[in-house]
Amino acid sequence: MAQPSSETRFLHAIEMGLGAWQWGDRVFWQYGHGYGEAEVQQAFLASLNEGIRFVDTAEIYGNGRSERLLGQFLKETDQPVLIATKYLPFPWRFGKGSLLRALKGSLARLGVESVDLYQIHWPSPLVSIDTMMEGLAQCVKSELTRTVGVSNFSQSQMLAAYSALARHNVPLASNQVHYSLLHRAVEKDGTLARCQELGIRLIAHSPLEMGLLTGKYSADSPPPGARSRNYTNLLPKIEPLLKLMTEIGQDHGGKSNSQVALNWVICKGALPIPGAKNAEQVQQNAGGLGWKLTDEEIARLDETSESVLE
Ligand SMILES: NC(=O)c1ccc[n+]([C@@H]2O[C@H](COP(=O)([O-])OP(=O)(O)OC[C@H]3O[C@@H](n4cnc5c(N)ncnc54)[C@H](OP(=O)(O)O)[C@@H]3O)[C@@H](O)[C@H]2O)c1
């Protein structure tokens, strides 16, 4: 196991973060329907109160609205916040210089001089990993970001990014990927193990499987919008897993399904960043910290999730 480098060590000390895709996104999350600016500001404040200070956003979330909202909230607090944002390799963005330009745009919306983690949102078939990593290295050298990472990179793409950055003397801090009890590809294909081996923090996005693992949705009561289409096949199968999560939660003094789901991700050695629309969701998710599932409970959850995903 490699120790994380001194620059990226802070990420390994963070147990949970807060996802901000929901902030300002009208298309997927229906921002403006049932929740809005006041609610997401309360979510932000509740998160700081709970000691969760690592916020994940992206230039694409709400077309910049998520970064702008976060920037607005940052102005109204004097508490330290760690900011992660992302670069989207749109097809018209070719050269390595486009990363630095995009990061400057994010910094302007966030109203800060630098961020803690700048990530490539998706790999691109049009821009080589070497070129993107050269751009990321330039962002570190310009001191506009403390560390850099990738997102949705396969194991081989991640290794290529790791090596390309190493040639610039920059460590790869993280790979942000889909990881939950209902989406375990990174566990199966060795990406998680490889991250741990190399000191790369695996940041788990959608750790509640977009709300499915909270237990509030079922085939009869699907989530609104695009989520119901995405999960048509999965929803009718998740009941046994939800039941087991509730049972295990009871044995820990009444932990909710969300708290069990997040604790499972943490026990696997990843950093979950649950998205939240309001303070209540943040407070509930924060209860995923401060306790541990037993090895036997993890094994039972693994087994039941396997049979659901078969
Ligand atoms: N890099 C990438 O490509 C990528 C992709 C996806 C996400 N992300 C990042 O990861 C973060 C989290 O992923 P995600 O937002 O996709 O999914 P998630 O965290 O699995 O689910 C978030 C949703 O679940 C519901 N929820 C959250 N906490 C709850 C609670 N305690 N009780 C009941 N419902 C609760 C809320 O939606 P409802 O109330 O509407 O059900 C919330 O919007 C995002 O915000 C974003 O920062 C990154």
Side-chain angles (χ1 to χ4, degrees):
M1 295 281 167
Q3 287 302 313
S5 68
S6 55
E7 300 94 311
T8 65
R9 200 170 295 142
F10 75 97
L11 263 182
H12 296 257
I14 301 170
E15 281 195 297
M16 193 186 292
L18 172 65
W21 179 15
Q22 287 69 7
W23 303 4
D25 178 88
R26 297 181 199 279
V27 181
F28 194 87
W29 292 105
Q30 287 114 11
Y31 178 79
H33 293 269
Y35 78 110
E37 187 175 326
E39 286 74 18
V40 297
Q41 180 157 26
Q42 289 306 314
F44 172 75
L45 293 172
S47 191
L48 296 187
N49 268 341
E50 297 289 347
I52 297 170
R53 297 163 186 282
F54 176 66
V55 185
D56 178 76
T57 182
E59 59 175 352
I60 194 69
Y61 295 166
N63 280 326
R65 213 176 288 126
S66 175
E67 288 183 329
R68 271 195 292 274
L69 284 166
L70 178 56
Q72 214 175 293
F73 305 158
L74 288 170
K75 280 203 198 88
E76 294 169 33
T77 180
D78 48 17
Q79 296 198 50
V81 176
L82 297 168
I83 306 168
T85 192
K86 308 185 199 81
Y87 167 88
L88 201 89
F90 288 112
W92 55 88
R93 280 175 164 172
F94 283 113
K96 56 181 187 208
S98 56
L99 274 110
L100 201 59
R101 276 193 297 280
L103 176 52
K104 285 179 182 164
S106 287
L107 295 176
R109 285 184 290 279
L110 289 160
V112 295
E113 285 176 8
S114 69
V115 290
D116 296 284
L117 176 65
Y118 196 43
Q119 307 153 99
I120 305 282
H121 209 143
W122 293 92
S124 164
L126 300 176
V127 186
S128 75
I129 289 180
D130 278 0
T131 302
M132 282 200 280
M133 295 308 122
E134 204 177 332
L136 279 186
Q138 210 175 31
C139 294
V140 174
K141 294 199 168 133
S142 312
E143 296 183 6
L144 300 183
T145 183
R146 188 168 156 196
T147 63
V148 291
V150 293
S151 177
N152 301 305
F153 273 42
S154 68
Q155 189 180 162
S156 61
Q157 290 165 330
M158 177 181 88
L159 293 176
Y162 178 89
S163 305
L165 280 174
R167 290 193 283 278
H168 298 278
N169 237 335
V170 172
L172 176 66
S174 57
N175 188 5
Q176 182 178 135
V177 288
H178 192 170
Y179 185 38
S180 81
L181 260 166
L182 288 171
H183 194 104
R184 295 174 56 195
V186 291
E187 214 183 314
K188 308 270 167 58
D189 67 15
T191 305
L192 175 62
R194 189 47 71 95
C195 281
Q196 288 165 345
E197 200 181 298
L198 296 175
I200 300 167
R201 190 68 159 136
L202 189 139
I203 301 179
H205 76 62
S206 314
L208 299 171
E209 203 53 45
M210 299 188 164
L212 259 62
L213 288 165
T214 66
K216 67 180 177 182
Y217 299 120
S218 65
D220 295 333
S221 171
R227 278 185 287 172
S228 87
R229 283 191 299 282
N230 295 353
Y231 290 122
T232 312
N233 295 331
L234 193 55
L235 273 165
K237 300 197 280 184
I238 61 177
E239 181 59 32
L241 179 62
L242 295 177
K243 213 166 142 244
L244 175 64
M245 292 167 77
T246 307
E247 195 186 305
I248 289 176
Q250 291 303 331
D251 293 341
H252 285 274
K255 298 291 179 198
S256 67
N257 281 23
S258 325
Q259 293 164 348
V260 171
L262 295 170
N263 198 276
W264 178 88
V265 171
I266 294 168
C267 287
K268 293 282 180 174
L271 159 56
I273 48 166
K277 294 178 165 179
N278 54 50
E280 202 189 335
Q281 293 185 346
V282 168
Q283 283 153 356
Q284 154 108 224
N285 296 340
L289 293 170
W291 59 284
K292 280 269 149 79
L293 290 161
T294 65
D295 290 347
E296 191 249 331
E297 289 165 341
I298 294 170
R300 283 166 68 206
L301 287 165
D302 284 357
E303 197 184 316
T304 308
S305 100
E306 282 291 346
S307 57
V308 166
L309 293 171
E310 254 167 23

